[in-house]
Amino acid sequence: MDEKVVFMVDLDGTMWEDIPNEEAEKRTMGAKVFPNAVEWVNERHAEGHYICFFTARWAKLKDVTEAKLEDMGVKYHQLLMGKPRIRHTEYAGYHHIDNCSIIRANRFEGAWTPLVKKQIEVHTFEDMK
Ligand SMILES: [Mg+2]
């Protein structure tokens, strides 16, 4: 990847097994980390990208979340709590709109494999006439 970017990376269900906020205090430290997650993120960090973990965990879970990240040995620049929670809501997902020059998004499908270029169909703004 030529340009350095800010990676916004989810935690539950992405870095480790999916744990709802209601169970996170008890289950976080024992959460099963996905294979290659730490290595993948640490490689991007070493390449100079900015790593921001962006989670829908409640603010009161910050201490246990930081302890888990420390225990895993994952390198990051920032932890943002308070992403809008979509569990048990009418919302199907997130749609990011921003005026920066590069917008990329990936749905995590359970495997931390290399990022590759693909032709895909996306929802985007209609061109101005
Ligand atoms: Mg998640």
Side-chain angles (χ1 to χ4, degrees):
M1 196 181 309
D2 298 334
E3 311 94 344
K4 290 184 178 39
V5 297
V6 175
F7 280 97
M8 305 290 286
V9 184
D10 182 36
L11 293 175
D12 291 281
T14 302
M15 288 299 289
W16 57 68
E17 65 181 296
D18 200 8
I19 299 174
N21 280 340
E22 291 79 2
E23 301 171 20
E25 198 67 61
K26 288 184 179 169
R27 293 182 51 202
T28 296
M29 292 311 291
K32 187 171 182 295
V33 178
F34 286 103
N36 205 39
V38 173
E39 294 83 356
W40 195 102
V41 171
N42 284 353
E43 285 171 17
R44 302 294 82 74
H45 186 280
E47 290 167 356
H49 300 286
Y50 190 95
I51 308 297
C52 176
F53 290 117
F54 189 30
T55 176
R57 288 182 159 224
W58 296 323
K60 69 179 183 181
L61 296 167
K62 190 166 191 220
D63 287 350
V64 72
T65 303
E66 287 176 334
K68 176 66 173 177
L69 294 168
E70 171 81 20
D71 187 61
M72 292 161 58
V74 67
K75 294 184 170 68
Y76 65 101
H77 298 89
Q78 189 175 3
L79 170 62
L80 277 180
M81 315 297 282
K83 182 176 76 171
R85 196 178 191 207
I86 58 175
R87 186 187 298 267
H88 309 305
T89 70
E90 65 193 285
Y91 305 104
Y94 302 99
H95 188 131
H96 190 109
I97 298 175
D98 200 309
N99 74 333
C100 64
S101 58
I102 296 174
I103 295 282
R104 299 177 183 138
N106 304 103
R107 182 176 195 281
F108 181 70
E109 299 281 358
W112 284 91
T113 55
L115 294 177
V116 294
K117 290 185 179 178
K118 289 183 182 177
Q119 295 290 326
I120 60 170
E121 187 176 53
V122 299
H123 286 91
T124 189
F125 290 107
E126 186 175 58
D127 291 332
M128 290 178 58
K129 298 186 167 94

